[in-house]
Every structure is written in C-alpha cells, then in structure tokens.
Amino acid sequence: MRIIGVVGLPLVIALAGAALAAPAGERLAADAARTTTSGATFTAPAGWSMSSGGNRTLLEPPEADSRLALVDVEAADAAAAVAAGWASYRPDANRPLRLATRQAPYNGWEERHNFSYETSPNEKAVVYALAWRAGRNWTVTIVEATSATFEKRNAGFSLVTGSLRPKGYQRELFAGKPARPLDAERIARLKGFVQELMQQFHIPGVGLALIDQGKVVFEGGLGVKALGKPDPVDADTLFLAASNTKAMTTLLLAELVDEKKLRWDQPVTEVHPGFKLGDAETTRQVLIKHLVCACTGMPRQDFEWLFNYATATPASSFALLGTMRPTSGFGEAYQYSNLMAAAAGYVGGAMINPGQELGAAYDEAMRTRVFEPLGMAHTTFDFQTAMRGNFASPHDDDVDGKMMLARMDNNYSVVPARPAGGMWTSVHDLSRYLQMELALGVLPDGRRLVSRENLLERRRAQAQIGENVTYGMGLVVNTQFGIPVVSHGGSLFGYKSNMIFLPDHGVGAVILTNSDTGSYLTGLFGRRLLEELFDGKPESAEQAKAALAQRAANIAKQRERLVIPADAAAAGKLAARYLSPELGALQVRAQDGATIFDFGTWWSTVASRKNDDGTTSFISIDSGVPGFVFVVGERAGKRALITRDAQHEYAFVEAAAP
C-alpha cells in the first residue's frame, strides 16, 4: 500500500530557528565537481548556492526554504555519525527518528544507512539523513526541505547524493568492453534472479523478454496471472505498461516530423491552436519537443485526473492543462507531467485524423502508424478488449504487507490521458518495439519505420534527472557506466514495468509485472543485466536483500500508527459530505464497522492516524487504491479534509446533501 503524501511529505521546517545564514559562498552557474571537507567528491547542481566551513558543506537550491548538508565525521557507528552530523549542522534540532535502515554498499561506500524522521502532514516537510562510511570516515548527508522544493528540485538533490563518492574512488565503467552473449547459461541466471525476487517480494506474475544482437533470445512468462488461479503468464499475456507508452507516443511524433507535418522546434499552438497552459508565457514557449521533455516547469499535478476520471474525456484532460501553472522556470528543472505527455499524443493523433474525437484519433493513429507496422498485434488501449483475453490482474500489498488481488478501478483514470500511460501490451509485442529502436528505425523485413535522425532526437537530453542521467522525449538515457543505457519505466496501480536497451551493444530487455512490489524487480533487473553482460560487480543480490529488509521495516513502522477500523470518535466528528472545487464530492459513510470515503467513481476504507502535531489524518487503505492522506481541518468555519500532493493543496469542505 502506498500512502500518498506521507513519505516525501511536505515541510514547513523552521530553518530560521536554526540560526543558519544562507550560504554565503558561490552560486553555481553550471553543475560543478566539488569535494567535502574530508575529500569525498560530489557534483553540485547549477543554480544552487554552496558554502563550506569546519567539517560541513551546505548546499541550498534557488528556493531559500530547503537545505542539504554534507558533514564529515569520525564515529563508532552510523547512529553516532548522524548525531555528530546534526550537532555540526543544526545543534538545536530535535526531530524524532522514525526509522533507521541499512542500505547496500555502493559507489565505494562500505557501509550505508538511511535515517528518516517523523513529520506531520501540515508541516509539509521532507527530513532525512544518510550515513555512509569508507574506512574510518563517515560522510553524513542531512536534508531538510519543503515538499514543494524537494519535488521540483529532486534532480538536484539526486545529483548530489548520486555522485557522492569516497576520496580516491574510481567509478565502475564498462566503456570499451564487449558485451557477453546472452547464451543459455546467462539467460538461466537472469531468469533465476527474476524468480528469486518474485518469491522475496511476492510478485505473482512476470513477463520477460531478452534481446541480443537485435534478436529475441528469450520471451516468456513466470508465475501466474492472478493469485489463487493456476493460469500462467506467457509471452502474449497483456499487462498495463503505464508510462512506457510515452516512448510510443513520441515515436508517432517522430514519424510526423519525417513526413514534414511537424517540426520538433515548432510552437505547439501553430499546429493545435487549442493548446493552452495556465501561464501564457509558458504556452508560447512550448515547442513540439517540449510536450514530453519534463523540462517546461509544469509540475506533476496528478490529483485532478486521478479523482475526476469518471467524467473526464481526452478533451477535458487536454483542457485541464489550461488551469495548471509552472512551478519552476522553463528549462530550469526536471518536472514530470503526465498531462503534457497526453497532450503530445492528442496533438499527433489530431494531425493524422483531423475532425475525429481526440481519443479515437490518437488510438487509430497509434494502431496504423506504430502498432501494426511493428507487429504489436495484441497491444491496445481498450481495457475491455484487453481484459476479455489473456491478461494479468493487478496486485498490491494490504496494510500488513500481505499480497492480494487489487481492484482495477483507479487504473481507468489513465484512459482520458492514455498517451501518457494507457497501453496494454505483452513482452512479445514490446520486444518488437525494442528491436526497432536497436535497428535505428528499421523493421525486421528491412522497411524503415522512422528516420534514424528523428528516432535519435527522442533520446537527446532535454532535462537532467541526476548524475549522468537525462530525460529526452519519453526515454531516459543513463551514461553512468560510460555506455548509454536507454530505458523507461511504467507504474500504475498493481502494475510495474521497465524496458531497457543498450544501443551500442544490440541488447535489450522487457520486464512486465502484475504487482506494486514489481518496482523492486524492475529497478534491480537493469543492474543484474549489466553484471551478466560486463562481469560487473555483483551488487544486485545485496541491493535486493537490503531493499527487502527496508520494505519490511517500513511496513511495520507505518502500520504502528494506523488505527483500523478508523477511530470511532474521530470518524464521528466528520461531516457526511464534502466538496472540493478541483476534485469533486466526497461522501463519508459507515459500512460493517469501517469508515468509507466514497468519491463516486471509486471508494476506499480509511484508517485514522494521530499525528505528532495533534492533528488527525484519514488514509485510504484498500488494495489497488492510492494511499491518499486527508488531514482534518477547517476552512471558513466549516469542517474540511485537506489532501496534498507535493506542490498543491486541495480542500474538501463540508457541504449539504445535493
């Protein structure tokens, strides 16, 4: 179960109470290699301020409400190191520790630990510390940030921590190394790794395809399509691929550029005058290539379409962009926007099939221009078609960490925004797409689907995600090992997926899962693949072991604070009906001793939680339902329930019955 707005929640941290002046050192014009006071190396982000003194280095993003500190100490253990780090950085801090967990060794650090701290929702805070050791020296990273800044500047925070290495450490590089063939022995080891993680993380089913030298060397299924049923996953089993759809959408745009119906540098308003954002200046700046670049300053503002999908259409999703405003400067930061990506698909579809309803135009364009030429015969955007045949059902943890069949309800929310993530596909079909990417636009029969130039334009860096990791147009390019690794992941409720390919080596992989815990597998499989191909350091198994322990600890800690059924006294104080102008109506009802929050299209049982600041939260806990957090409050003298994403706040205010 994911709780939206608890982990990575907002923070109005009293940084002023720390009596710390803003860093008086340099403001960086570009990303720059720097060292801590003991010589550990890292990259400081462009636009941030940095200062050093004593044993600490302070970094501050352009917003003055957040801080990252690097503190070098000698200590007996991680806990002592973190205590010394806080004493140096902010000795008056006294935030309760939530959880301390061990991480796997990495990047030359022999020992790594993560410390998360208790926050209350109304603080809107992100607070954590990392203690990493090499030899006798510990480097402690302390982050105190408002949730809004942490989300919009996440690439900068990630750049610092992802690049942090002990003095003298040389990173692992595979440049110049030939890739080992994916022979029967290596394929067996990769399958064994998948099966081991399926067992550890209780993943019911996985679709897996492997490509070597441009040819599929394995495709098939492991596990079952639904818990409690014997039907096995096979190469043709359909899964929701979620955001892997974005690369398909930009492929459609690349074909239109080839046909000279579009230019990558063409203003969107020239080809689709109805395109409009909530900020006129940003609207004017958005070119075709910016629709899926995560670089326009438009934030990840998903609640509107997650709550309102019952009445949403492609046209209303497109129009919703007109109510949304950027939260960072154009080209200044990586910020992922699903509705911008959806607009890209609808613009492309409308150019090919003018006059049709936006969704139908896009669906037909994708079928005729992408899926059919690639031989993706079973790939579809139609839920009913997919679920009548060979498909995998979604699964999710309950609040105690037990895997169970999840409701499909909320996955329908992607339908009105389907160019961003609504594709049902199989490993057989998706591997056809990867083969085309590896062949630089050429199909197996020798026909060219798209020009090399415009295929590769989609991989060109548009925004930086972290060290040596950039976002193009629906594709991520990672060069941290000295070779390009191109990928994209997908995440919907009960489905996690990844596709990955190494263009210089003719190797690729597709992995589709029917469980939210599949994210552990999709994340770790890429590392394991590199280990097999290049005899890389055997890190994936240890990373999986650490992730499993962290997961168990987090579930247990989260469960400690949840009251199920929700506290009767707190639930009794709720109004019967609430209304949000952005998110719609909320009906509170009792059912079999439980408290239910009903939003019309979807509903969920809620737990209650007493926060450290004295407030009470109600949290949706049903499997397959987002873990939304609703904080009891007041607006204009009326009872209210407040929910937030990282950068936006929505108030459900009590209302009379309709």
Side-chain angles (χ1 to χ4, degrees), residues 493-531:
F493 306 111
Y495 296 99
K496 300 293 180 283
S497 59
N498 197 18
M499 57 184 187
I500 179 171
F501 59 97
L502 283 62
D504 293 351
H505 299 85
V507 174
V510 176
I511 187 160
L512 305 173
T513 77
N514 62 346
S515 165
D516 277 338
T517 56
S519 58
Y520 294 98
L521 173 55
T522 58
L524 291 166
F525 183 81
R527 173 63 204 181
R528 184 53 176 258
L529 180 64
L530 294 177
E531 292 170 11

Side-chain angles (χ1 to χ4, degrees), residues 339-536:
L339 288 186
M340 287 286 282
Y346 293 140
V347 167
M351 293 202 68
I352 294 170
N353 299 301
Q356 288 192 30
E357 184 269 330
L358 286 177
Y362 171 76
D363 294 349
E364 180 66 10
M366 291 295 289
R367 183 182 67 81
T368 58
R369 300 296 189 95
V370 176
F371 299 150
E372 285 186 354
L374 286 170
M376 300 174 69
H378 297 104
T379 299
T380 182
F381 292 105
D382 190 304
F383 272 57
Q384 289 187 342
T385 297
M387 295 170 64
R388 277 199 301 264
N390 178 6
F391 84 102
S393 297
H395 298 79
D396 187 13
D397 288 333
D398 67 9
V399 292
D400 297 307
K402 180 183 177 182
M403 186 60 60
M404 60 188 300
L405 193 67
R407 284 162 38 197
M408 181 65 77
D409 307 20
N410 288 88
N411 284 319
Y412 286 96
S413 63
V414 79
V415 173
R418 54 190 175 274
M423 177 177 69
W424 286 90
T425 194
S426 66
V427 293
H428 173 79
D429 280 10
L430 199 50
S431 64
R432 297 293 186 97
Y433 160 73
L434 283 198
Q435 286 180 287
M436 183 277 303
E437 285 277 6
L438 291 168
L440 296 174
V442 177
L443 299 171
D445 63 6
R447 290 180 298 130
R448 178 167 288 282
L449 178 66
V450 63
S451 70
R452 174 191 176 109
E453 176 188 5
N454 286 315
L455 180 87
L456 293 178
E457 187 67 23
R458 297 156 55 251
R459 304 180 198 171
R460 186 186 299 275
Q462 300 290 339
Q464 185 171 16
I465 300 175
E467 187 190 29
N468 300 309
V469 184
T470 60
Y471 199 82
M473 288 184 267
L475 290 168
V476 175
V477 180
N478 186 333
T479 58
Q480 71 177 103
F481 299 110
I483 58 172
V485 179
V486 186
S487 68
H488 207 286
S491 175
L492 273 168
F493 306 111
Y495 296 99
K496 300 293 180 283
S497 59
N498 197 18
M499 57 184 187
I500 179 171
F501 59 97
L502 283 62
D504 293 351
H505 299 85
V507 174
V510 176
I511 187 160
L512 305 173
T513 77
N514 62 346
S515 165
D516 277 338
T517 56
S519 58
Y520 294 98
L521 173 55
T522 58
L524 291 166
F525 183 81
R527 173 63 204 181
R528 184 53 176 258
L529 180 64
L530 294 177
E531 292 170 11
E532 290 291 345
L533 292 172
F534 301 107
D535 296 327

Side-chain angles (χ1 to χ4, degrees), residues 48 263 318 381 451 610 617 650:
W48 289 44
R263 301 189 317 273
F318 199 100
F381 292 105
S451 70
K610 194 73 171 177
S617 296
Y650 306 91

Side-chain angles (χ1 to χ4, degrees), residues 23-43:
E26 61 180 326
R27 182 171 289 275
L28 301 162
D31 293 348
R34 294 291 184 264
T35 60
T36 68
T37 56
S38 71
T41 60
F42 67 96
T43 301

Side-chain angles (χ1 to χ4, degrees), residues 202-466:
H202 309 294
I203 303 166
V206 169
L208 176 67
L210 300 170
I211 300 168
D212 192 14
Q213 298 306 308
K215 298 184 182 301
V216 176
V217 294
F218 174 82
E219 62 175 22
L222 303 166
V224 296
K225 293 184 281 188
L227 280 177
K229 297 182 180 180
D231 298 344
V233 173
D234 60 37
D236 293 315
T237 300
L238 295 179
F239 296 76
L240 266 174
S243 287
N244 291 301
T245 311
K246 291 179 172 69
M248 304 296 184
T249 294
T250 63
L251 180 61
L252 177 68
L253 297 182
E255 292 183 36
L256 289 170
V257 176
D258 278 345
E259 296 167 16
K260 303 196 182 309
K261 294 180 179 178
L262 288 177
R263 301 189 317 273
W264 291 121
D265 62 355
Q266 186 173 16
V268 177
T269 52
E270 281 189 10
V271 296
H272 199 96
F275 175 75
K276 179 185 177 183
L277 305 175
D279 178 78
E281 179 58 29
T282 305
T283 302
R284 284 191 290 271
Q285 293 183 76
V286 175
L287 309 178
I288 292 296
K289 67 181 180 181
H290 295 141
L291 287 171
V292 198
C293 73
C295 66
T296 62
M298 296 296 289
R300 182 164 194 152
Q301 192 170 342
D302 290 340
F303 279 22
E304 281 91 338
W305 60 271
L306 285 173
F307 275 84
N308 292 314
Y309 65 88
T311 57
T313 64
S316 69
S317 296
F318 199 100
L320 189 58
L321 284 168
T323 69
M324 297 181 175
R325 302 179 61 84
T327 57
S328 61
F330 198 99
E332 182 180 283
Y334 168 79
Q335 292 207 78
Y336 197 80
S337 171
N338 281 301
L339 288 186
M340 287 286 282
Y346 293 140
V347 167
M351 293 202 68
I352 294 170
N353 299 301
Q356 288 192 30
E357 184 269 330
L358 286 177
Y362 171 76
D363 294 349
E364 180 66 10
M366 291 295 289
R367 183 182 67 81
T368 58
R369 300 296 189 95
V370 176
F371 299 150
E372 285 186 354
L374 286 170
M376 300 174 69
H378 297 104
T379 299
T380 182
F381 292 105
D382 190 304
F383 272 57
Q384 289 187 342
T385 297
M387 295 170 64
R388 277 199 301 264
N390 178 6
F391 84 102
S393 297
H395 298 79
D396 187 13
D397 288 333
D398 67 9
V399 292
D400 297 307
K402 180 183 177 182
M403 186 60 60
M404 60 188 300
L405 193 67
R407 284 162 38 197
M408 181 65 77
D409 307 20
N410 288 88
N411 284 319
Y412 286 96
S413 63
V414 79
V415 173
R418 54 190 175 274
M423 177 177 69
W424 286 90
T425 194
S426 66
V427 293
H428 173 79
D429 280 10
L430 199 50
S431 64
R432 297 293 186 97
Y433 160 73
L434 283 198
Q435 286 180 287
M436 183 277 303
E437 285 277 6
L438 291 168
L440 296 174
V442 177
L443 299 171
D445 63 6
R447 290 180 298 130
R448 178 167 288 282
L449 178 66
V450 63
S451 70
R452 174 191 176 109
E453 176 188 5
N454 286 315
L455 180 87
L456 293 178
E457 187 67 23
R458 297 156 55 251
R459 304 180 198 171
R460 186 186 299 275
Q462 300 290 339
Q464 185 171 16
I465 300 175

